[in-house]
Amino acid sequence: MAFPVPLLLTFHLQSSDPWRLKFYILLGLVAYSWWLLAIVLSVRPPWLDRLVGLRSIYGLHGMLGVLALAAAYVHGENSYAPERWARWLGDWSFYAALTVLCYSVFFMSGWLVDRSMLLVKVKRLLERVFRHQLSVWIHRLNLVIVGMIWLHAHLLDRVSEHFVFMVLFDLYTVVVLGIYAWKKWIGPDTFKAGTVVANHARGGSTRKVSVALDQEETSLRPGDFFFLSFEGSSAVSRERHPFSVTDDNREEVTFTMRQHGNYTRRLGNVQAGTRVRLEGPFGRFDSIVQDHHKTRRSCSSEWAPAWRRC
Ligand SMILES: Cc1cc2nc3c(=O)[nH]c(=O)nc-3n(C[C@H](O)[C@H](O)[C@H](O)COP(=O)(O)OP(=O)(O)OC[C@H]3O[C@@H](n4cnc5c(N)ncnc54)[C@H](O)[C@@H]3O)c2cc1C
């Protein structure tokens, strides 16, 4: 939550606007910084995943999106932009962000769908058109929205006249978008790689796929998962999908995949020899199990105080 502070302080020190107007501009800056922070979280930093887990990262990512929109609403309702284009960009970036947020809450989070069987059915039906990969691209419109807000700030004279602030504002934007572009489009070349060595059916709707890694993965822990994409195979798309490792081998990893959707149903076509890219490993399953064992041990120890015996 300290992420916006340098930006807010710099603007506060440079601007001589009346305090009321300044407050609402600062609120707009808080919204912008939270959107940027949500973008940073979307690249799934592996060290943060080991610390808090991907679920919490996604939860925070979503919360930042909602809170930023609330802050942007108050900002927009209480401040004015004399420049026509700045006003237009401010208004339309808000409507676009609201639309993308509603879409993402429905299709990409479990916030609504996990609470109602009816919504699950509606989502499955709609996903025939709005496939996961399409949703990913619709969600990425947030990058365009960030660009619109960036331009909105640059077109506002009372904001852009503060040189030091604008340098910092641009720095925040360039660094965050740079991290995103690196992790999503340039960095994948640095992902782990391997080759499919076996792909067998297990029952009617499950497959066991083994991948020999080019290099032993020493950081792999039991229960971890990777985002896999099969390269150069016309049989299955290059989308990245998450699957958990089902054994304890760090040179050849095996996945047990349930086939129930557009992508997984085609997995049977993946031939031995297909190259695979793997993003990860992610997961906290192993550390959660170990913590649980430690708690059990300290609970049952004869030296444990009575209140800790469980
Ligand atoms: C952390 C994690 C670990 C998983 N481990 C396993 C495993 O070991 N074995 C297994 O069988 N399944 C696993 N899954 C589920 C598996 O990733 C999905 O079943 C698969 O991606 C669905 O693809 P589909 O297109 O065939 O199905 P669809 O019917 O198109 O989609 C089914 C559901 O999966 C979601 N989904 C589709 N694509 C993705 C994607 N790229 N990323 C995230 N969600 C997506 C859709 O939104 C939809 O709600 C795991 C999922 C997660 C999040």
Side-chain angles (χ1 to χ4, degrees), residues 8 11-12 15-28 75 78-80 158:
L8 301 184
F11 185 80
H12 174 65
S15 160
S16 54
D17 285 324
W19 72 266
R20 205 181 143 79
L21 178 60
K22 201 194 258 189
F23 172 76
Y24 290 117
I25 295 176
L26 290 176
L27 212 54
H75 160 81
N78 294 283
S79 47
Y80 62 92
R158 66 165 176 266

Side-chain angles (χ1 to χ4, degrees), residues 196 199 229-239 263 266-277:
V196 174
N199 179 1
S229 78
F230 295 97
E231 299 280 305
S233 158
S234 53
V236 66
S237 77
R238 286 164 148 237
E239 290 168 22
Y263 176 83
R266 296 198 191 119
L267 285 171
N269 302 331
V270 174
Q271 304 292 328
T274 303
R275 294 289 290 161
V276 186
R277 283 198 184 284

Side-chain angles (χ1 to χ4, degrees), residues 288-303:
I288 290 170
V289 170
Q290 293 207 358
D291 287 350
H292 180 69
H293 282 325
K294 272 186 213 147
T295 320
R296 295 273 301 215
R297 266 202 298 275
S298 65
C299 281
S300 55
S301 155
E302 58 179 306
W303 302 108

Side-chain angles (χ1 to χ4, degrees), residues 12 56 124 136 150 154 182 215 225 235 278 290 292 295 310:
H12 174 65
S56 305
R124 282 202 191 131
V136 170
W150 175 85
H154 273 263
W182 171 261
Q215 279 177 350
F225 61 94
L278 305 96
Q290 293 207 358
H292 180 69
T295 320
C310 30

